[in-house]
Each structure stands twice: as C-alpha cells, then as structure tokens.
Amino acid sequence: MSATARKTAPLPEDIRARKGGAPLVSLTAYTTPMAQLMDAHCDFVLVGDSVGMVLHGLESTLGVTMEMMILHGRAVKRGLAQAMMVVDMPFGSYEESPEQAFRNAARLMAETGCAAVKLEGGVEMAGTIAFLVKRGIPVMAHVGLTPQSINTLGGYKVQGRGAAGDRLMADAVAVAEAGAFAVVLEKVPAALADRVTSRIAIPTIGIGASAGCDGQILVVDDMLGLFTAFKPKFVKRYATLGDQAGAAVAAYAEEVRSRRFPAAEHVFADTTPGEGA
Ligand code: KIV
C-alpha cells in the first residue's frame, strides 16, 4: 500500500502483516511540525529516546525520562493523522520487572496516544515482551546495537560480527516468538540482517543493517543534517538543514547589527486603515 493512498494510521497488526511486502518507511520525530512533515510519507513514526541526544544535548540516551517521552510523544501525536506512532520506553522504565514495564508502557499509551511501545533487548526481555503483549500492549523490539546498554556493550560498535551472530539471531527469534510485532535491527552486518529477516516471521526494521530488511528507520535530525555532532556511517544525509540554519542565523545577526533588519516592509505605520496585525 502506498503512503499516499492511506487515509488512517495502520495498527501494529497491519505493520506485522507487511512482512516480506513493500518496505516499511519510518523516521524518528520529537515535535509537532516535524511529525506533520513526515505524516504522509511514513508508515510509522518513532518518538525515539534519541530525543535526549538530538534535542536535549545529553551525551547518551541514559538520562531520558518518562516525562520527556510523554511530552514529546504528545507533541508528535498532534502532528500525525496517517502514520502510526511508537514511543520508546526510556532506560530504567522496564528492565526491573514485567510489572514495572506494564505500568510504564500503559502510562505511555494512555498519556501520549501511541499505538505501541518500543523497548531494547533480546532473549533477556522476551518474558517482559510476552507479558506486555498478553495484556494489550503492542511491542516493537530492538536488538543489535541497543544504545541504552552502551556501558555494557563497550560503546556504539557493530554488533553480531562472527560468532556473536548466533547470539543476535537468538535475540531476534526470542523477541519474535514472545509476540513483538516488529523488531529494529541496529548496526549489524548486512548478511546477518538478511539471515534474520529470512528466519523470523515479523518485519525487521533496519538502521545500519541491510536494504533487505522489511523496513528502514533513521533519526530524522541525522538525515536532514540538523544533528551534526557526529555522523554514523549508516546515515545518509538527504539535506544540510543545519548548515542552512547556521547561515540564516548569521545573516540575521549581521543585518540586525547593521540596522538592515527590520526594513520598511517589516514595520507598521500608525495611519493605514484596517491594518491591525
Ligand atoms: O531512539 C531512537 O531514535 C531509536 C532509533 C535509532 C531506532 O531507537
């Protein structure tokens, strides 16, 4: 189904049913205007905990809170009519127990209106995923590079190379069998991503994975060139908005200092009838 033919947002089950079909399109979003821009083009939009690094200047996603996810989730929801919204569960909001995960996932759904939550982890989170799904919470899983675990993974390295590929496969199989409706594969070798995609029954959403995945996701500020602190190899920049914004701010500063802004067309006379704005 093309994005333009769609009138209402798909449900998690519709996303699951796209396994092996036309590639699923997804981006992250954190604000209403950005959500509005991508609504007609994306099958689902992720309010990622990357918001902490991209918009709040945090060094990792570990400091992201439930309150941040709810605030940004509500903002994104206001900008969407056609794309499904998934909200990330932040670090510390689900790992302790299935009950803790349920409490926080239910809060994210109730307070943001999201259709599903995403959480990081494979075999070790399968029990929690099954617990949530059985209680009405659709879950998108996330395996491979899981940024909330950088301190135990030893940084933002490619995951699943060599013998570690079997463990990654086991993670993907475990979350699929636990009932996740889709799984993000982050920063894994392309051949492994292809094997996982063939092996499991739910869509794989690649980020630094393979063109053979069932869908792709990128952090929107990366692909627009708005976040420039660093550029992972897997990011393709489709625009350089950060450079354009920097140049615009410099031009504005220069024109204010030289009194070329505001010009005559930007100020008001007190005599024009009917001019109230
Ligand atoms: O937080 C995020 O933006 C993500 C994507 C990178 C998949 O989890």
Side-chain angles (χ1 to χ4, degrees):
M1 176 171 49
S2 81
T4 44
R6 207 179 53 228
K7 290 282 182 283
T8 55
L11 297 170
E13 282 312 305
D14 301 321
I15 299 294
R16 181 200 293 273
R18 295 273 298 272
K19 175 73 188 175
L24 289 155
V25 178
S26 176
L27 287 169
T28 65
Y30 320 107
T31 64
T32 307
M34 206 57 102
Q36 284 168 333
L37 279 177
M38 60 184 68
D39 187 37
H41 304 287
C42 288
D43 296 294
F44 71 90
V45 165
L46 172 70
V47 185
D49 62 352
S50 49
V51 67
M53 298 173 75
V54 170
L55 290 197
H56 293 268
L58 299 178
E59 280 193 2
S60 76
T61 56
L62 299 181
V64 175
T65 62
M66 283 287 292
E67 285 64 35
M68 287 162 79
M69 297 313 299
I70 289 168
L71 186 73
H72 288 284
R74 291 168 70 116
V76 168
K77 183 67 180 170
R78 288 191 281 270
L80 298 180
Q82 302 179 48
M84 186 180 90
M85 182 171 86
V86 181
V87 175
D88 255 347
M89 299 197 73
F91 178 63
S93 71
Y94 59 96
E95 299 90 333
E96 193 179 335
S97 66
E99 289 79 6
Q100 182 213 24
F102 180 83
R103 221 171 17 255
N104 285 316
R107 187 170 167 218
L108 286 179
M109 292 187 78
E111 296 187 30
T112 68
C114 66
V117 299
K118 176 166 81 58
L119 56 80
E120 297 182 5
V123 170
E124 75 286 6
M125 291 312 302
T128 295
I129 293 172
F131 187 90
L132 295 181
V133 172
K134 279 189 203 127
R135 287 161 180 77
I137 300 196
V139 178
M140 177 174 285
H142 183 158
V143 303
L145 175 63
T146 45
Q148 293 175 9
S149 303
I150 42 156
N151 291 314
T152 46
L153 293 177
Y156 296 95
K157 297 178 195 154
V158 175
Q159 301 294 309
R161 279 195 168 131
D166 289 347
R167 274 201 306 281
L168 200 144
M169 177 65 86
D171 283 335
V173 169
V175 297
E177 290 180 350
F181 69 90
V183 57
V184 170
L185 298 183
E186 180 163 354
K187 215 165 174 183
V188 302
L192 175 61
D194 289 342
R195 284 202 301 282
V196 171
T197 300
S198 309
R199 167 80 172 76
I200 65 175
I202 59 172
T204 54
I205 312 296
I207 173 163
S210 158
C213 288
D214 298 297
Q216 301 293 328
I217 187 164
L218 283 176
V219 170
V220 68
D221 291 57
D222 284 341
M223 59 86 78
L224 292 179
L226 279 167
F227 182 79
T228 52
F230 58 89
K231 188 185 93 63
K233 171 181 161 73
F234 57 76
V235 169
K236 176 171 176 182
R237 287 213 173 119
Y238 287 82
T240 50
L241 298 192
D243 290 347
Q244 283 181 264
V249 170
Y252 166 74
E254 198 282 314
E255 291 194 3
V256 168
R257 292 194 176 107
S258 62
R259 298 199 187 281
R260 283 187 293 133
F261 179 83
E265 68 267 31
H266 306 121
V267 298
F268 303 95
D270 67 358
T271 53
T272 309
E275 187 182 33

